[in-house]
């Protein structure tokens, strides 16, 4: 791990603020690194567990994740945050949410497959993401999607620090208990399908009836319908969305305008 010491007195004057939230503020440290500084309100117990988890996560390396690289200390030798890779986002589409306005479906499929593969690797590491949202996936200068905010992940004996309602999307939709692995698959599938179904809203507010009708109306092979139905239903052992979309060929419009109108009336 690479540790750094900073002065909190002139933090915002010296470093550019690039992101913020309940879990802390993120600053650009230099051209290659960023730092996340945790708020003072975090309890001693939570802070201790957080840094213990960061120490474990820092042992992992993956090109699709900004895992911690070191600890940030203040001038009093107190741990106040962690160091990570800085993600340069030079394109118009900065994060995964922005891609809903992107119409090059070949490129969208590349993004989805890379993310799906990255999520599968995370699960193999024993990680679950929970708060899997488009704004937490950046598009870097090499046009690769990168997962950020990794310190909040569940890993080994450490749970999420901030338990988001996203962590229970699947349970809320189908009113059953599911593992966080299944929930992650479902969340990424929702984000991905939103790119290919403009005009309708896919979220935890939808019903099983809606998903059943959406898939029935899609102009795709029956095998692909079965795979999508496994994801968007109360089934367990859901497939990852990347290989499913790869077989569908999303260059073809999945839903007609008439089908979208019917779905919006449900």
């Amino acid at each position: 791990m690479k540790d750094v010491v900073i002065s909190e007195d002139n933090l915002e004057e010296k470093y550019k603020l690039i992101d913020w939230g309940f879990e802390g503020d993120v600053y650009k440290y230099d051209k290659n690194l960023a730092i996340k500084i945790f708020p003072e309100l975090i309890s001693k117990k939570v802070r201790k567990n957080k840094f213990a988890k960061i120490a474990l996560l820092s042992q992992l390396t993956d090109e699709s994740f900004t895992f911690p690289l070191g600890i940030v200390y203040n001038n009093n030798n107190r741990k106040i945050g962690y160091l990570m890779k800085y993600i340069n986002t030079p394109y118009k589409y900065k994060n995964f949410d922005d891609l809903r306005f992107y119409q090059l479906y070949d490129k969208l499929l590349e993004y989805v497959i890379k993310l799906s593969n990255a999520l599968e690797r995370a699960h193999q590491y024993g990680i679950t993401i929970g708060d899997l949202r488009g704004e937490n996936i950046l598009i870097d200068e090499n046009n690769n999607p990168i997962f950020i905010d990794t310190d909040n992940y569940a890993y080994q004996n450490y749970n999420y620090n901030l338990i988001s309602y996203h962590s229970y999307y699947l349970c809320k939709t189908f009113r059953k208990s599911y593992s966080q692995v299944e929930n992650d698959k479902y969340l990424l599938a929702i984000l991905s399908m939103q790119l290919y179904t403009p005009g309708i809203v896919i979220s935890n507010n939808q019903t099983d009836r809606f998903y059943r009708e959406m898939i029935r109306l899609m102009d795709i092979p029956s095998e692909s319908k079965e795979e999508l139905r496994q994801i968007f239903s109360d089934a367990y052992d859901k497939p990852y969305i990347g290989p499913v979309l790869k077989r569908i060929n999303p260059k073809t419009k999945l839903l007609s305008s008439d089908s979208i109108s019917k779905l919006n009336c449900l």
Side-chain angles (χ1 to χ4, degrees):
M1 293 176 70
K2 175 183 177 180
D3 299 335
V4 297
V5 178
I6 65 169
S7 171
E8 294 181 272
D9 295 336
N10 61 347
L11 186 61
E12 295 191 14
E13 296 176 13
K14 188 172 182 180
Y15 306 105
K16 179 183 178 182
L17 180 66
I18 55 177
D19 199 6
W20 58 91
F22 291 114
E23 276 284 285
D25 297 332
V26 180
Y27 300 86
K28 184 178 180 181
Y29 182 74
D30 60 27
K31 66 177 183 179
N32 297 314
L33 299 169
I35 53 177
K36 183 172 183 178
I37 307 299
F38 301 129
E40 288 294 327
L41 295 177
I42 295 179
S43 69
K44 289 183 179 180
K45 181 179 179 181
V46 170
R47 186 178 293 269
K48 180 181 178 181
N49 288 337
K50 181 179 282 290
F51 282 110
K53 181 169 61 172
I54 285 171
L56 293 172
L57 289 171
S58 68
Q59 298 173 27
L60 302 175
T61 57
D62 191 292
E63 62 184 4
S64 299
F65 294 87
T66 54
F67 289 129
L69 299 175
I71 301 298
V72 178
Y73 292 84
N74 65 10
N75 290 332
N76 295 321
N77 201 36
R78 182 169 181 263
K79 295 177 181 178
I80 59 173
Y82 72 93
L83 197 68
M84 74 190 95
K85 181 182 177 182
Y86 170 70
I87 305 301
N88 185 28
T89 56
Y91 303 110
K92 178 180 178 182
Y93 305 99
K94 304 293 184 183
N95 61 41
F96 202 74
D97 274 350
D98 293 339
L99 293 177
R100 69 186 66 183
F101 306 109
Y102 193 72
Q103 298 301 314
L104 296 178
Y105 291 115
D106 281 354
K107 197 65 186 179
L108 287 177
L109 182 58
E110 284 184 32
Y111 290 140
V112 169
I113 290 173
K114 287 178 179 178
L115 285 174
S116 182
N117 290 340
L119 182 62
E120 187 170 4
R121 292 197 304 274
H123 291 162
Q124 290 169 353
Y125 300 147
I127 286 172
T128 54
I129 295 176
D131 192 23
L132 204 165
R133 294 177 289 136
E135 64 190 76
N136 285 337
I137 304 169
L138 302 184
I139 308 299
D140 74 4
E141 58 193 347
N142 297 314
N143 246 319
N144 291 315
I146 309 291
F147 285 97
I148 62 171
D149 203 28
T150 61
D151 61 292
N152 191 50
Y153 293 174
Y155 184 52
Q156 293 193 18
N157 296 324
Y158 298 96
N159 199 3
Y160 309 123
N161 301 115
L162 180 65
I163 299 179
S164 164
Y165 65 93
H166 290 89
S167 305
Y168 299 99
Y169 250 36
L170 188 54
C171 297
K172 289 180 179 178
T173 303
F174 297 107
R175 301 183 185 279
K176 290 171 60 175
S177 295
Y178 296 88
S179 71
Q180 284 298 305
V181 168
E182 297 288 351
N183 188 70
D184 279 352
K185 292 178 184 179
Y186 180 64
L187 289 174
L188 186 59
I190 288 176
L191 288 179
S192 301
M193 287 303 296
Q194 284 174 338
L195 303 179
Y196 300 105
T197 54
I200 64 172
V201 176
I202 303 176
S203 72
N204 70 316
N205 293 320
Q206 297 296 3
T207 63
D208 184 66
R209 177 192 172 202
F210 172 88
Y211 286 135
R212 185 171 60 250
E213 187 66 5
M214 177 186 77
I215 294 168
R216 185 187 72 79
L217 292 170
M218 284 183 173
D219 183 20
I220 57 177
S222 58
E223 182 182 355
S224 297
K225 287 188 177 185
E226 290 174 7
E227 291 179 315
L228 281 179
R229 183 59 184 147
Q230 189 173 358
I231 295 175
F232 294 102
S233 74
D234 66 350
Y236 294 99
D237 297 323
K238 299 180 184 300
Y240 290 90
I241 189 64
V244 175
L245 285 180
K246 188 175 182 179
R247 286 190 286 272
I248 287 177
N249 182 15
K251 277 186 177 181
T252 305
K253 195 172 182 181
L254 300 185
L255 289 167
S256 67
S257 299
D258 184 53
S259 295
I260 290 172
S261 297
K262 289 179 180 178
L263 288 169
N264 286 330
C265 290
L266 290 180

